Amino acid sequence: MGTTVWIQASQLSRDNSALAPFLRHATRGEGARVLMIESEERSRLYRYHKRKLVLLFSAMRHLAVELRKRGLEVDYYALEPEAHRPSFRDALRAHLERHRPSGLVMMELLDRTHQRDAEALAAAAGIPLRVTPTTMMLTDPGIFAREHRSTKRLRMEQHYRGIRKRLGVLMDGDRPVEERWNTDPDNRRRLPKGISIPAPQAFPPDAITRDVIVIVDRLFADHPGTTAGWSLPVTHRDAIAWVDDFVEHRLPQFGAYQDAMLDGEPLLFHSLVSPLLNIGLLSPLHLVKRIEHAFEQGSVPLNSAEGFIRQVIGWREYMYGVYRLRMPQLARENALRAHRPLPRFFWTTETRMRCLAGCLRQAQATGYLHHIQRLMVVCNFATLAGLEPRGVLEWFMTLFLDAYEWVMIPNVMGMGLYADGGGITTKPYVSGGAYINRMSDYCSSCAYRVRERTGPAACPFNHLYWNFLLAHRRRLRSNPRMGVAFRALEKKSRAEIRAITQSAGEFLEALDQ
Ligand SMILES: Cc1cc2nc3c(=O)[nH]c(=O)nc-3n(C[C@H](O)[C@H](O)[C@H](O)COP(=O)(O)OP(=O)(O)OC[C@H]3O[C@@H](n4cnc5c(N)ncnc54)[C@H](O)[C@@H]3O)c2cc1C
Ligand code: SF4
């Protein structure tokens, strides 16, 4: 009898609110029981990147070891290649029969679909389920909804400032430090030639991770990616060390170069903390306080500290609020009526566009692209080429280590593809090749020429960009943030417009074949 705490793979937080009271009892020798399930069925919802599966299973197994050491009994259903591999339903039933708990308690999952599934499973098994509030976000979605319910167009900036004031982060009384809420204008620099890029600290696999790698390689051989060269943290302690390494070696230059891209250098000065944050190996508050502390000690400049904190308590929290407010319709939006199927080269990575090929290969190999690669290469292309949003979403959900419905849907449908018609961002994030050329070194080794606008050798981003503006003139012309682009379009001669539509038409036709 007694209560069972059910912990799923995306809620391994040390301050899991369902677990916390039982941990306190455990220190007094009154252990409680924890249920953890590696479900094969759930692991095949998408053809998830092998590295994501290794991260999840290894982090779960490490947490189980830690909880047992702290006096809790853990009923753990592990994936065994040779044995029957239970689904959530089977494992839950087996647990209930074996231990006969009087009830289940779990922390609310961030993904609504999975939360509803868990509730349905408990109801079908006839066991009462108590759900405790999530501690993995800093803003109560109910408060976000109350503040924004009547707002048609949501904006991140106000939300971000509100959280900074509430948490007192980078504040000087009720004013922002150095009188700056926003350091974005300092943060768009190109990488200087020869800049040295520090390698992140490596966490080689221990015995638990090695076991998991064998299982993932056996059971999920058909999933993309490779498990070779594993070096990510899988415990809370190592995740904190990973952040310390980032703060010391990469954060000082994160701000200035956060939009830059370099072929063959996936991380540059980024943190790669999202896969850890999104499963609870890191707490957003710990992370933000750590960055603020480094700024106060004088070891990082304000543009890096503010630039990073804005991502975590600004964009991340905002996207969760938007997801809770706008689902389920957000996942089905297609305001630009984009219907082109995802080209096969998204999976094979065979395209002559160097920037896209570089990003697609990197995503396949590592399960990671930094923000500008996702936004200004992959999604920029997808928007300009009119790719159907659900296909793009599926590609992201499959490949990315940090992909969860609550964060991927608003990022892809809203920020990436403008499929929600501007509910989340002020304008579509689209550009021609010049932006990619300014912020990266891709163009120097591309088969296309970035300075040519039309014709078979022209950079496809160029003609597709003007073609996109022509196609969506009616919807976007009145957007004040698109004024400069439309004025430039209107200055083009008829012959230029004809050449643009012809080049774009030929390119898109080839794409469809
Ligand atoms: C099309 C698209 C899809 C995305 N999908 C995801 C996703 O599935 N999961 C995910 O965590 N992030 C997603 N992002 C946001 C962002 O690109 C990643 O969080 C970031 O690239 C992760 O790498 P990092 O940890 O090195 O980030 P850094 O550049 O070091 O930034 C620090 C942290 O800020 C947070 N952050 C920054 N921007 C966002 C944002 N727009 N939304 C949410 N959090 C943000 C992340 O937690 C990130 O780890 C997406 C962005 C785009 C444009
Ligand atoms: S020329 Fe165009 S397609 Fe080629 S790398 Fe540059 S932006 Fe990409």
Side-chain angles (χ1 to χ4, degrees):
M1 293 296 274
T3 302
T4 288
V5 183
W6 186 6
I7 301 180
Q8 293 203 11
S10 61
Q11 42 180 207
L12 308 179
S13 163
R14 267 187 173 155
D15 39 48
N16 181 315
S17 59
L19 183 66
F22 295 97
L23 275 176
R24 282 195 291 275
H25 291 151
T27 56
R28 298 203 300 264
E30 305 159 21
R33 194 169 287 122
V34 170
L35 170 65
M36 296 176 88
I37 306 167
E38 294 174 2
S39 158
E40 182 178 9
E41 193 184 22
R42 174 65 62 83
S43 314
R44 292 195 191 278
L45 269 186
Y46 292 89
R47 273 189 337 117
Y48 292 115
H49 197 285
K50 291 192 187 87
R51 281 177 180 263
K52 180 174 188 178
L53 297 175
V54 172
L55 174 64
L56 290 171
F57 299 148
S58 180
M60 284 173 78
R61 290 179 184 205
H62 280 91
L63 180 66
V65 171
E66 183 185 327
L67 294 179
R68 284 183 182 125
K69 276 194 194 144
R70 294 177 72 178
L72 294 173
E73 187 187 328
V74 182
D75 192 17
Y76 195 102
Y77 292 80
L79 276 177
E80 300 290 348
E82 309 303 344
H84 169 67
R85 297 185 292 275
S87 61
F88 271 154
R89 182 187 307 271
D90 297 342
L92 181 60
R93 287 243 157 96
H95 174 82
L96 297 181
E97 270 167 30
R98 196 172 305 148
H99 299 288
R100 308 211 164 274
S102 55
L104 286 177
V105 56
M106 71 183 296
M107 184 167 81
E108 184 179 22
L109 290 157
L110 299 180
D111 281 353
R112 299 308 298 157
T113 318
H114 295 329
Q115 180 59 37
R116 276 194 299 273
D117 284 353
E119 287 167 14
L121 283 174
I127 180 96
L129 172 68
R130 187 163 61 83
V131 180
T132 60
T134 183
T135 50
M136 290 178 55
M137 302 303 296
L138 300 168
T139 317
D140 180 329
I143 296 176
F144 185 91
R146 267 200 302 285
E147 284 173 356
H148 295 90
R149 189 160 286 134
S150 55
T151 328
K152 216 167 159 208
R153 288 182 185 272
L154 303 166
R155 295 296 168 247
M156 193 281 285
E157 189 67 30
Q158 283 318 107
H159 187 59
Y160 164 63
R161 292 184 188 188
I163 303 185
R164 249 174 89 178
K165 282 189 203 158
R166 176 159 59 83
L167 300 179
V169 172
L170 293 182
M171 296 297 292
D172 198 353
D174 58 358
R175 300 297 310 154
V177 286
E178 298 184 14
E179 285 297 320
R180 293 186 74 183
W181 287 110
N182 186 331
T183 55
D184 273 355
D186 302 346
N187 288 357
R188 293 180 185 133
R189 287 201 222 141
R190 302 182 56 144
L191 282 173
K193 279 219 167 74
I195 187 168
S196 120
I197 293 153
Q201 184 181 354
F203 294 85
D206 62 5
I208 293 181
T209 306
R210 285 197 299 274
D211 279 352
V212 168
I213 286 175
V214 171
I215 291 168
V216 168
D217 282 340
R218 280 273 306 273
L219 288 181
F220 303 97
D222 58 326
H223 285 218
T226 166
T227 55
W230 179 268
S231 62
L232 286 177
V234 288
T235 64
H236 298 100
R237 200 191 50 198
D238 287 352
I240 288 170
W242 175 262
V243 170
D244 288 343
D245 175 67
F246 163 68
V247 170
E248 191 178 336
H249 298 110
R250 305 196 297 284
L251 179 62
Q253 285 167 295
F254 168 86
Y257 304 120
Q258 62 178 285
D259 287 2
M261 298 173 275
L262 196 61
D263 207 0
E265 281 288 351
L267 205 50
L268 294 174
F269 300 102
H270 291 267
S271 64
L272 218 179
V273 292
S274 51
L276 312 178
L277 269 177
N278 295 351
I279 62 172
L281 280 192
L282 278 174
S283 120
L285 195 58
H286 165 86
L287 180 63
V288 162
K289 288 285 174 193
R290 178 72 185 83
I291 308 301
E292 185 186 36
H293 179 70
F295 167 71
E296 286 166 355
Q297 299 288 301
S299 54
V300 293
L302 182 64
N303 68 317
S304 281
E306 192 282 321
F308 189 85
I309 286 173
R310 157 181 297 272
Q311 309 302 318
V312 178
I313 64 176
W315 281 110
R316 186 170 187 271
E317 295 285 320
Y318 173 71
M319 287 305 192
Y320 181 58
V322 169
Y323 166 79
R324 292 296 299 263
L325 193 63
R326 295 270 159 96
M327 283 294 282
Q329 57 286 11
L330 185 61
R332 297 193 285 263
E333 304 272 25
N334 192 356
L336 299 180
R337 300 209 168 95
H339 295 298
R340 178 161 283 108
L342 195 78
R344 224 167 59 84
F345 72 67
F346 266 66
W347 300 108
T348 63
T349 76
E350 281 161 19
T351 163
R352 293 167 66 227
M353 284 175 278
R354 182 65 220 169
C355 54
L356 207 45
C359 289
L360 301 177
R361 277 177 210 147
Q362 185 187 310
Q364 289 265 357
T366 65
Y368 174 82
L369 291 177
H370 75 61
H371 188 67
I372 295 300
Q373 294 173 308
R374 297 181 201 204
L375 186 64
M376 296 311 295
V377 179
V378 179
C379 285
N380 187 11
F381 177 80
T383 311
L384 297 181
L387 303 189
E388 204 266 315
R390 296 289 307 182
V392 180
L393 182 64
E394 187 186 340
W395 181 83
F396 272 106
M397 283 300 294
T398 302
L399 285 185
F400 284 68
L401 303 187
D402 60 11
Y404 294 90
E405 181 186 289
W406 67 267
V407 56
M408 195 50 101
I409 290 176
N411 269 298
V412 172
M413 302 309 239
M415 183 184 273
L417 303 181
Y418 204 73
D420 66 338
I424 295 176
T425 57
T426 49
K427 70 176 185 67
Y429 282 98
V430 284
S431 78
Y435 174 85
I436 295 172
N437 190 30
R438 190 164 65 250
M439 299 314 298
S440 78
D441 65 344
Y442 290 123
C443 303
S444 57
S445 55
C446 184
Y448 292 101
R449 294 195 200 120
V450 71
R451 287 182 218 293
E452 285 187 28
R453 293 193 192 150
T454 52
C459 165
F461 280 92
N462 291 343
H463 48 70
L464 290 178
Y465 173 74
W466 296 112
N467 191 55
F468 172 86
L469 294 188
L470 284 166
H472 297 288
R473 214 171 349 190
R474 210 177 281 164
R475 173 180 278 277
L476 300 174
R477 177 71 189 89
S478 57
N479 182 328
R481 295 203 60 207
M482 304 285 294
V484 175
F486 277 102
R487 280 194 291 283
L489 179 68
E490 280 147 20
K491 284 191 193 136
K492 291 197 183 301
S493 68
R494 282 207 181 157
E496 265 181 289
I497 298 284
R498 246 195 326 273
I500 286 167
T501 49
Q502 187 179 340
S503 296
E506 285 167 3
F507 179 87
L508 293 173
E509 211 179 299
L511 204 61
D512 292 337
Q513 285 158 13

